[in-house]
């Protein structure tokens, strides 16, 4: 019983770390325009819309964060093998991984923007200097918390995977959670369309991103302020729940039966599928498809 209580406590702590990681990952992605909405940022100058949005999109978020978290975890693992304190090792490993992320972000921004020179899109040095450091700061939080979570799984719960491999697995999961959950909050409603809410983006409006903020031209920090309120917390809750339910079912039911965690996992998936379907049907019945407002008769 004591082992189960201890395991649940570790599970809760890992879920808390995952929540912070998911929120930081989504804000970093939104500031850097990494993920599915970045195609509209890349397309905008070709459609005649010059902008000051950071345009990096190193790769899709799952493989990118799989690389960065695995790199941070591998370096931390090597430092701990050198008898360095685990907390310091994780900090050093995450910091070195963030430098790699910064190099990728810099070369991606310069390369992508240079390819748009024929359309009149300039390279803004102030955007490069300010946005790169901000994305690196958020990436450090995401990488550090994820590597710390992986180390916690190995040290406290006895996970059989080595730290670098576990970092790769959860890094991919972290990027997938941010891409699937956080991007729609800012990508489809805040930055990339000037259409009515819920109208979608018609072909004729492709690349017509929102380029002006409340005061002056918009840059990626404006997107970060917005996504930190909605998309970031949503991504954090998503990733935190994934980690919590994954560990909870193993900690609680593994002692009862070898197939116990698998059966509970299937039941949890079915419950969430039913909840998702109910919400979707409810939303469609109450809001329906987007339609143009009818003009009032004179």
């Amino acid at each position: 019983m004591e082992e189960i209580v201890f395991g649940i406590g570790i599970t809760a702590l890992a879920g808390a770390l995952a929540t912070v990681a998911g929120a930081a990952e989504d804000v970093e992605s939104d500031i850097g325009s990494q993920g599915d909405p970045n195609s509209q940022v890349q397309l905008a100058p070709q459609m005649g819309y010059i902008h000051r949005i950071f345009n990096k999109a190193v790769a899709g978020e799952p493989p990118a964060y799989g690389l960065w978290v695995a790199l941070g975890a591998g370096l931390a693992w090597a430092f701990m093998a050198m008898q360095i304190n685990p907390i310091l090792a994780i900090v050093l490993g995450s910091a070195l991984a963030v430098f790699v992320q910064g190099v990728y972000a810099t070369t991606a921004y310069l390369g992508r923007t240079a390819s748009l020179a024929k359309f009149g899109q300039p390279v803004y040095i102030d955007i490069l200097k300010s946005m790169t450091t901000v994305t690196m700061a958020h990436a450090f939080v995401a990488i550090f918390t994820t590597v710390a979570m992986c180390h916690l799984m190995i040290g406290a719960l006895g996970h059989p995977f080595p730290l670098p491999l576990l970092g790769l697995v959860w890094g991919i999961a972290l990027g997938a959670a941010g891409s699937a959950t956080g991007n729609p909050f800012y990508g489809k409603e805040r930055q990339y369309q000037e259409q009515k809410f819920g109208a979608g983006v018609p072909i004729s409006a492709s690349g017509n991103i929102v380029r002006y903020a409340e005061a002056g031209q918009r840059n990626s920090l404006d997107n970060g302020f917005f996504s930190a309120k909605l998309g970031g917390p949503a991504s954090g809750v998503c990733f935190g729940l994934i980690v919590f339910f994954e560990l909870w079912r193993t900690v609680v039911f593994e002692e009862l039966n070898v197939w116990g965690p698998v059966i509970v996992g299937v039941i949890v998936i079915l419950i969430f599928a039913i909840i998702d379907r109910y919400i979707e049907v409810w939303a469609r019945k109450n809001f329906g498809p987007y339609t143009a407002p009818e003009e009032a008769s004179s």
Side-chain angles (χ1 to χ4, degrees):
M1 185 63 184
E2 292 182 358
E3 293 182 359
I4 293 178
V5 173
F6 174 77
I8 292 177
I10 297 298
T11 299
L13 180 57
L17 289 170
T19 301
V20 176
E25 186 278 338
D26 181 66
V27 177
E28 186 276 332
S29 171
D30 294 354
I31 293 174
S33 297
Q34 180 169 327
D36 56 343
N38 185 75
S39 60
Q40 294 295 316
V41 175
Q42 182 76 3
L43 181 62
Q46 302 175 45
M47 304 302 291
Y49 303 110
I50 306 303
H51 61 80
R52 284 171 57 83
I53 303 297
F54 198 73
N55 176 19
K56 67 179 179 70
V58 175
E61 292 174 63
Y65 269 89
L67 166 65
W68 297 329
V69 175
L71 180 59
L75 291 170
W77 180 67
F79 286 137
M80 283 186 279
M82 298 166 59
Q83 305 303 316
I84 295 178
N85 180 277
I87 297 178
L88 179 59
I90 294 173
V91 171
L92 293 175
S94 301
L96 292 174
V98 164
F99 277 107
V100 176
Q101 185 264 357
V103 171
Y104 271 88
T106 302
T107 55
Y109 173 75
L110 292 175
R112 283 174 169 268
T113 309
S115 69
L116 298 170
K118 65 177 68 176
F119 303 104
Q121 176 66 43
V123 172
Y124 292 101
I125 300 301
D126 63 320
I127 294 294
L128 176 64
K129 292 191 295 185
S130 58
M131 302 306 159
T132 304
T133 51
V134 174
T135 62
M136 289 175 67
H138 285 84
F140 175 81
V141 175
I143 296 170
F144 172 79
T145 50
T146 307
V147 175
M149 178 192 75
C150 295
H151 178 66
L152 196 63
M153 292 180 185
I154 295 173
L157 300 180
H159 199 286
F161 283 9
L163 187 58
L165 179 58
L166 200 59
L168 175 65
V169 172
W170 283 113
I172 293 174
L174 170 63
S179 179
T181 306
N183 282 353
F185 278 89
Y186 92 110
K188 298 178 177 63
E189 307 297 349
R190 172 68 171 177
Q191 181 176 350
Y192 299 105
Q193 68 184 63
E194 292 177 330
Q195 310 299 311
K196 296 289 186 181
F197 180 82
V201 183
I203 298 297
S204 60
S206 294
N208 187 16
I209 63 175
V210 179
R211 296 175 295 149
Y212 299 101
E214 291 72 15
Q217 287 184 297
R218 172 169 293 170
N219 60 42
S220 295
L221 288 182
D222 295 299
N223 300 322
F225 290 139
F226 178 80
S227 59
K229 300 176 183 177
L230 298 173
S235 298
V237 170
C238 173
F239 188 53
L241 287 176
I242 291 173
V243 172
F244 179 80
F245 279 111
E246 171 65 21
L247 298 180
W248 169 81
R249 65 186 179 89
T250 303
V251 168
V252 175
F253 296 98
E254 189 175 36
E255 298 295 332
L256 301 178
N257 188 284
V258 176
W259 289 96
V262 178
I263 296 173
V264 173
V266 173
I267 293 174
V268 170
I269 292 174
L270 291 175
I271 291 174
F272 274 97
I274 293 171
I275 294 174
D276 292 341
R277 178 60 180 169
Y278 173 80
I279 294 174
E280 179 184 359
V281 172
W282 175 86
R284 290 185 180 275
K285 286 183 178 179
N286 285 272
F287 299 103
Y290 172 80
T291 56
E294 298 180 1
E295 294 184 2
S297 58
S298 58

